[in-house]
Amino acid sequence: LMKENVDAGLPLFHNAGKYEVYAQLDVERVKGDLHNWEGVCYFPQIEALEKMHEQYPEATLVLNKRSVSSWIESVVNHMGMAKRLSYCDITGFPPIHQLDLTIDMLRDFYIAQVVRVREFVVKYPSHRLVEVQIDEDNAGQKMVEAFGGEVSCWEVKNTKEDVKKRSIRDEEMKNIRKARNKNSKESKRN
């Protein structure tokens, strides 16, 4: 939606609802190969920070961080994310064949984003920046200090275990739907 809005000259969050929090803004849903892919790959937190500022000049930005090596491990091991990223044409990270993608390239991409967001907030001091080291034990407490609430509200999600459980559940649901469709077709024949 955000990419469509930008392409149409509309505000970044046009028709995105009236929420207090927008998170996980990027999307990299691509299929195919490096030279012949379809889908969408867009990182508004990289490509559209100025557009965000135009619409929300006093927004609080949350910069979730973790050790660079942990982030790289996640990108490399999380459901083909490194391959999807390699297809994208992101500022500072042009398309490249997945086999040519290096740890140094991923590290530089990560560090560049941290620097980009920090420089953006210096340029526009009307924004507040909350940096949270999500792989530290006190990450929940940092969120409470910044936004209030209880530490128990700030749980760790989307871990390897969460993704594995979701994948198993999705496969089970797929099998259930297949069985229902098969039974439905058989009962129609009878």
Side-chain angles (χ1 to χ4, degrees):
L1 176 67
M2 291 181 181
K3 173 106 172 78
E4 293 169 7
N5 287 341
V6 169
D7 290 347
L10 296 168
L12 186 64
F13 292 93
H14 179 74
N15 282 338
K18 295 190 186 247
Y19 301 102
E20 290 186 31
V21 175
Y22 295 93
Q24 190 66 41
L25 302 177
D26 54 275
V27 60
E28 71 283 328
R29 291 190 191 112
V30 296
K31 293 181 184 175
D33 61 45
L34 177 62
H35 301 292
N36 185 24
W37 65 271
E38 59 185 43
V40 62
C41 183
Y42 191 61
F43 287 74
Q45 67 271 36
I46 295 173
E47 308 297 346
L49 280 171
E50 296 289 333
K51 296 274 185 201
M52 285 184 203
H53 174 71
E54 289 172 12
Q55 194 169 358
Y56 293 105
E58 295 180 355
T60 297
L61 305 177
V62 179
L63 183 59
N64 290 324
K65 301 183 308 180
R66 61 172 98 173
S67 74
V68 178
S69 60
S70 175
W71 180 81
I72 291 169
E73 180 183 347
S74 178
V75 167
V76 169
N77 294 313
H78 182 73
M79 301 173 65
M81 187 173 188
K83 180 179 180 181
R84 293 190 312 270
L85 280 176
S86 72
Y87 292 177
C88 300
D89 189 4
I90 308 165
T91 297
F93 198 79
I96 187 168
H97 192 282
Q98 180 186 3
L99 297 177
D100 296 326
L101 186 61
T102 67
I103 299 300
D104 288 341
M105 294 167 78
L106 290 169
R107 184 193 67 245
D108 292 348
F109 177 66
Y110 177 91
I111 292 169
Q113 179 60 10
V114 171
V115 169
R116 179 182 295 111
V117 171
R118 288 176 177 162
E119 288 177 350
F120 175 79
V121 173
V122 168
K123 180 179 178 181
Y124 297 108
S126 59
H127 294 283
R128 180 172 79 146
L129 176 60
V130 176
E131 294 191 35
V132 180
Q133 194 73 26
I134 63 172
D135 54 359
E136 290 183 354
D137 292 338
N138 67 345
Q141 183 59 40
K142 295 269 189 190
M143 295 298 281
V144 169
E145 290 167 9
F147 302 106
E150 300 292 324
V151 173
S152 61
C153 294
W154 303 102
E155 296 178 352
V156 175
K157 292 289 184 186
N158 207 29
T159 63
K160 287 180 188 177
E161 293 79 24
D162 292 334
V163 171
K164 186 175 181 178
K165 286 177 189 174
R166 247 189 340 264
S167 179
I168 291 168
R169 185 189 66 231
D170 291 349
E171 188 65 29
E172 289 171 350
M173 292 305 295
K174 187 169 125 182
N175 290 336
I176 290 169
R177 284 191 297 274
K178 278 183 183 178
R180 284 183 185 161
N181 286 340
K182 182 180 176 183
N183 291 339
S184 175
K185 287 178 184 178
E186 288 176 1
S187 65
K188 287 180 182 179
R189 284 187 218 142
N190 297 333

